[in-house]
Amino acid sequence: DEVLRLAASLDQGSEHPLAEAIVAAARARQLRLSPAESFESGSGIGVQGKVEGKAMAIGNTVLMQQLGLDTAPLQNEAEALRSSGASVMYVAISDRIEGLLTVADPIKESTPAAIRALHDAGIRIVMATGDGLTSARHVGLQLGIDEIHGEVTPKDKADLIASLKAQGHKVAMAGDGINDAPALALADVGIAMGTGTDVAIQSAQVTLVKGNLQGIVRARELSQLAVANMRQNLLFSFAYNGLGVPIAAGVLYPAFGLLLSPMIAALAMSLSSVSVVFNALRLSNARLEDEAVLPAHLQPSKPGARGCH
């Protein structure tokens, strides 16, 4: 309880969803939290600060190594917990690792179907997470993820996006946290979760309002329909103009004595516009029933928003 109390006291200053879970657990046990001082976030590897005059750090193996602390005594226990898919964080108090905190993060019911649909569309899926590689593999194998990266920093995520683009791939990045923002901005298409942080939403071009991965499938399908619709509209426009302009120019006049009346020309132009508009309105039948997808200029402003990995 004391380890959890001090950890939750420090994590009060963090917007990370795992920190939010730790604080909620402490409050559920009715533990008295103390104010944190000198709070610092370690870019995806953990947090540091002082609670009740004690120097504290909560984070992954990388953070503990940077602080010169030995994780070996708890390594086996940590790996056992990670193998079940839990996120494991070391808690260091006064330059000594005092315990582990684990946060279970269940897979959403809608996620497996979304992954299958993306695979069926020929899309390769890569997971990059700040969680331990063992935890990431546990989740990734359940979902059939093609490539898995664990304990990555925000810079590592951005470097991964840059590497994939350099290989000639078109990359869509989905994320919800502050640590995802650089990669979201760098990707060809950044997809933020509406349940995530404001900085992630502002860095992306598309926001899934409910944070449901099925929204990625629907957004892609809607994009394909929109592009097909634009091509159809161009065909309509070229057909009207391709027929009307030569007749108006007198192509048929020498042989048939036909010219295009200005009234008919005006009617043809109106019909061209009407046909394009009505064809575009057919997209309203492709509504996203369970997931709203918003472009960047319509993204919601959510002060203090919290995400969920």
Side-chain angles (χ1 to χ4, degrees):
D1 280 355
E2 182 65 6
V3 170
L4 176 60
R5 185 185 74 83
L6 292 173
S9 296
L10 179 61
D11 266 339
Q12 290 179 103
S14 174
E15 291 188 351
H16 198 283
L18 299 185
E20 189 177 59
I22 292 170
V23 173
R27 287 174 174 162
R29 297 189 188 187
Q30 299 183 338
L31 302 179
R32 179 184 58 81
L33 304 186
S34 300
E37 301 174 357
S38 305
F39 179 85
E40 295 180 8
S41 178
S43 297
I45 59 175
V47 296
Q48 299 181 64
K50 288 186 177 181
V51 176
E52 298 176 357
K54 302 173 183 177
M56 289 193 60
I58 307 170
N60 61 16
T61 307
V62 175
L63 178 60
M64 297 300 113
Q65 290 174 344
Q66 289 183 1
L67 297 174
L69 301 179
D70 184 15
T71 61
L74 292 173
Q75 190 65 32
N76 291 338
E77 185 177 353
E79 284 299 304
L81 291 165
R82 291 187 183 113
S83 65
S84 64
S87 299
V88 177
M89 291 156 282
Y90 295 97
V91 181
I93 304 173
S94 300
D95 298 324
R96 176 181 172 182
I97 297 179
E98 297 289 357
L100 297 173
L101 290 176
T102 65
V103 180
D105 197 10
I107 298 171
K108 288 184 177 180
E109 292 182 3
S110 60
T111 299
I115 298 295
R116 286 194 299 271
L118 293 172
H119 273 148
D120 290 344
I123 295 174
R124 180 165 167 257
I125 301 175
V126 179
M127 173 193 289
T129 174
D131 289 338
L133 184 57
T134 303
S135 302
R137 283 176 175 165
H138 176 83
V139 174
L141 290 174
Q142 289 185 67
L143 294 173
I145 304 284
D146 301 300
E147 185 178 329
I148 301 168
H149 300 267
E151 291 196 353
V152 296
T153 64
K155 182 180 182 302
D156 293 332
K157 292 181 181 180
D159 289 344
L160 178 59
I161 298 292
S163 174
L164 291 170
K165 291 177 68 176
Q167 296 171 30
H169 298 293
K170 293 293 184 183
V171 182
M173 163 73 183
D176 67 351
I178 294 174
N179 299 328
D180 298 321
L184 287 170
L186 188 60
D188 293 299
V189 181
I191 304 171
M193 304 297 147
T195 52
T197 58
D198 279 348
V199 67
I201 292 173
Q202 295 300 323
S203 299
Q205 292 83 38
V206 176
T207 297
L208 305 182
V209 176
K210 296 181 183 178
N212 186 330
L213 292 186
Q214 286 284 2
I216 297 177
V217 179
R218 296 188 180 96
R220 183 175 179 275
E221 292 174 349
L222 182 59
S223 298
Q224 290 176 316
L225 290 172
V227 171
N229 194 277
M230 287 188 288
R231 289 172 177 165
Q232 292 164 5
N233 289 341
L234 283 172
L235 180 61
F236 283 134
S237 297
F238 283 128
Y240 275 106
N241 288 283
L243 291 173
V245 172
I247 296 174
V251 170
L252 300 180
Y253 185 77
F256 303 100
L258 293 177
L259 285 174
L260 190 63
S261 165
M263 293 180 64
I264 296 177
L267 179 61
M269 290 304 297
S270 299
L271 288 175
S272 173
S273 299
V274 169
S275 64
V276 166
V277 170
F278 274 98
N279 187 51
L281 287 174
R282 291 191 306 109
L283 288 174
S284 63
N285 295 325
R287 294 176 180 174
L288 307 180
E289 297 178 358
D290 301 321
E291 181 72 32
V293 180
L294 297 183
H297 69 284
L298 294 178
Q299 290 168 1
S301 176
K302 297 166 76 323
R306 296 294 186 271
C308 182
H309 289 291

